[in-house]
Amino acid sequence: MTLRRPYRYRYFAVVEFNVNPVVPGRGSGIVIHVDHGRPTTGCVSLPLNGLVALLRWLRPGLLPLVAIVVRSPGP
């Protein structure tokens, strides 16, 4: 994979989604990476300072859960 904008992935966390068992067609490859000012294509993005704070806080051995909440647009 060639990264056209590697700064987005200087710091990142991989979200284990659809891995055990893998369900074809359900998607995969969710990454928490630096925000680039546009919507992602299935990942989660945060401003650099928020991402670094999250990575310092994360303890994978404690099995953290990632909840992705989508808000519907207003009227």
Side-chain angles (χ1 to χ4, degrees):
M1 173 166 98
T2 302
L3 299 176
R4 290 179 280 178
R5 294 178 178 84
Y7 64 88
R8 291 183 197 168
Y9 304 99
R10 181 172 181 189
Y11 305 104
F12 66 92
V14 176
V15 177
E16 290 186 4
F17 173 76
N18 194 25
V19 294
N20 190 15
V22 172
V23 178
R26 189 166 180 218
S28 65
I30 297 176
V31 176
I32 302 172
H33 61 75
V34 174
D35 179 52
H36 53 83
R38 294 189 322 266
T40 68
T41 55
C43 292
V44 175
S45 63
L46 298 171
L48 178 60
N49 61 346
L51 178 60
V52 170
L54 173 70
L55 294 174
R56 288 183 174 150
W57 174 83
L58 275 176
R59 298 293 179 263
L62 298 178
L63 305 175
L65 297 176
V66 175
I68 300 171
V69 178
V70 178
R71 296 180 188 182
S72 61

